[in-house]
Amino acid sequence: MICLGIEGTAHSIGVGVVKDVKGKCKVLSNLIKTYKPEKGGIHPREAANHHGLHIAALIRDSVQQAAVNISAVDLVSFSQGPGLGPCLRTVATAARALSLSLEKPLIGVNHCVAHLEIGRGTIHECTDPVLLYVSGANTQVIAFAEGKYRVFGETLDVGIGNCLDKFGRTLGLEFPCGPRIEQLSERGTLYLPLPYSIKGMDIAFSGLLTSAEEYVRKGHPVEDVCYSLQETSFAMLTEVTERAMAHTEKQEVLLGGGVASNQRLRIMVETMATARGASFFVPRKELCVDNGAMIAWLGLVMYASGVRMSLDESVINQRFRTDMVEVTWRD
Ligand code: ATP
Ligand code: FE2
């Protein structure tokens, strides 16, 4: 079975084509275009316009790159939520139109669950992980428990990526700022204390962000502040992930989201996993960021397990929670 998936919950519009090979995911193509605001944060309407502008060409190119005929596509899937309303509506409209014109079924999928399933689908040994999902807008620890994907911990304010981007903006760095902050932090030598904020299983970044900005205003070297910001925020993420692993008794941890590219975060989470005798996995970069292949794969898995969706049911859901998904494809 071949599925074409369209992602477009936030900055990125992506189209991927995947194929099922003995229960695992073969990515045939996975094209992404990212909207970059000229200054400041993301404007939902502008991001949606960006997606609308590129979507037709991305569909054409991804089918071409997959070296399949468009008629060989058996299923169309799209990111139904959570995300920004205008972006989600643009993508859903394109997916419906494609499904109708190809006369192929349509399935809307949960974006967060797709980040987890692409790990299970593409990494052979990854079967039942705790996912640390760290992107711009999202920061969640997700695992399968009692028949559902459940959120064991999450940010109470901004996502870790947004926190890094906001901090980077005060330094005058270009968006996305995470990679540049990572480089700067490698030259940091002095740890500056920052608020370590874990409440129950949840975390908060805004206090940390304010304190980091304060250090910069007071003239501390930006390298030290970047280093301290990474060490503190990543330690919080690692702690909550470890607690979820202990609670669920799972032996695998998976990273997902754009911040999963960060080498320091990888080392911290891997060190924790190794100390627990657990396995550590991170998908390749283009499958970690928001991408169409993960949407295609989850659509395919859902369809294969018997899920069907009418046009009426394909309305977007900006607040589509992870635990609202009925998981029909796992025991
Ligand atoms: P979502 O809708 O899932 O929240 P998003 O559009 O914000 O997604 P992703 O592509 O998953 O996107 O992630 C982008 C984020 O990842 C940005 O905030 C960026 O700064 C951050 N990022 C990218 N590379 C690194 C890195 N090496 N270190 C830290 N952060 C990084
Ligand atoms: Fe994402």
Side-chain angles (χ1 to χ4, degrees):
M1 179 169 211
I2 293 179
C3 179
L4 181 147
I6 312 177
E7 155 62 28
T9 53
H11 295 86
S12 301
I13 174 83
V15 180
V17 178
V18 307
K19 187 179 178 173
D20 173 72
V21 180
K22 293 187 189 138
K24 283 285 171 184
C25 172
K26 181 163 192 219
V27 179
L28 302 180
S29 67
N30 193 21
L31 301 179
I32 304 169
K33 274 214 179 304
T34 300
Y35 159 75
K36 289 189 183 176
E38 272 170 24
K39 69 176 185 9
I42 183 170
H43 189 290
R45 190 65 254 165
E46 282 173 18
N49 289 345
H50 165 271
H51 297 356
L53 205 63
H54 292 290
I55 200 159
L58 278 175
I59 291 171
R60 187 195 59 217
D61 294 349
S62 72
V63 169
Q64 202 170 56
Q65 206 178 85
V68 294
N69 195 299
I70 187 99
S71 60
V73 170
D74 302 299
L75 175 71
V76 175
S77 67
F78 69 100
S79 51
Q80 198 169 13
L84 305 170
C87 299
L88 292 171
R89 276 188 285 275
T90 301
V91 164
T93 305
R96 284 184 204 114
L98 186 64
S99 150
L100 287 170
S101 71
L102 296 176
E103 296 180 4
K104 294 292 161 69
L106 176 72
I107 285 198
V109 312
N110 180 287
H111 174 93
C112 307
V113 173
H115 274 290
L116 192 142
E117 286 297 340
I118 196 64
R120 292 181 70 228
T122 55
I123 303 171
H124 189 67
E125 306 79 20
C126 181
T127 56
D128 185 21
V130 169
L131 169 73
L132 172 58
Y133 169 32
V134 277
S135 67
N138 294 297
T139 298
Q140 296 187 333
V141 178
I142 301 170
F144 186 70
E146 290 166 35
K148 289 213 155 159
Y149 280 115
R150 297 180 195 275
V151 177
F152 285 88
E154 63 189 318
T155 177
L156 297 170
D157 44 43
V158 291
I160 178 65
N162 281 354
C163 169
L164 295 170
D165 293 333
K166 278 186 182 168
F167 178 68
R169 214 178 298 146
T170 65
L171 299 180
L173 303 179
E174 195 190 321
F175 176 86
C177 309
R180 187 77 186 108
I181 291 174
E182 178 174 16
Q183 286 172 345
L184 288 165
S185 74
E186 282 159 15
R187 285 188 268 127
T189 49
L190 180 70
Y191 178 77
L192 303 161
L194 286 166
Y196 188 92
S197 178
I198 296 189
K199 294 168 187 161
M201 286 290 281
D202 296 325
I203 42 194
F205 295 114
S206 55
L208 189 78
L209 180 61
T210 311
S211 301
E213 287 167 354
E214 192 66 27
Y215 277 126
V216 174
R217 252 196 310 279
K218 285 182 181 156
H220 287 271
V222 289
E223 292 84 355
D224 287 345
V225 187
C226 289
Y227 166 69
S228 308
L229 181 61
Q230 279 203 172
E231 291 302 301
T232 313
S233 59
F234 295 172
M236 283 155 52
L237 293 169
T238 307
E239 179 181 331
V240 173
T241 308
E242 175 162 32
R243 282 160 61 179
M245 291 178 79
H247 180 76
T248 57
E249 298 181 346
K250 299 215 191 270
Q251 290 300 313
E252 298 168 16
V253 61
L254 173 72
L255 285 187
V259 186
S261 300
N262 189 289
Q263 290 301 330
R264 182 61 187 145
L265 178 65
R266 289 183 183 202
I267 288 170
M268 285 169 80
V269 175
E270 185 169 19
T271 305
M272 175 274 285
T274 308
R276 299 183 58 79
S279 309
F280 168 79
F281 304 110
V282 46
R284 50 182 203 268
K285 190 178 174 199
E286 70 272 21
L287 297 176
C288 269
V289 298
D290 289 352
N291 69 91
M294 71 177 188
I295 301 300
W297 176 243
L298 179 53
L300 191 155
V301 165
M302 287 169 67
Y303 191 83
S305 75
V307 177
R308 300 292 181 267
M309 191 172 276
S310 66
L311 272 186
D312 289 349
E313 291 164 326
S314 74
V315 291
I316 60 130
N317 183 352
Q318 279 175 256
R319 288 181 192 78
F320 193 175
R321 289 202 332 267
T322 302
D323 60 7
M324 286 165 74
V325 177
E326 205 194 326
V327 184
T328 48
W329 60 95
R330 288 188 64 165
D331 299 328

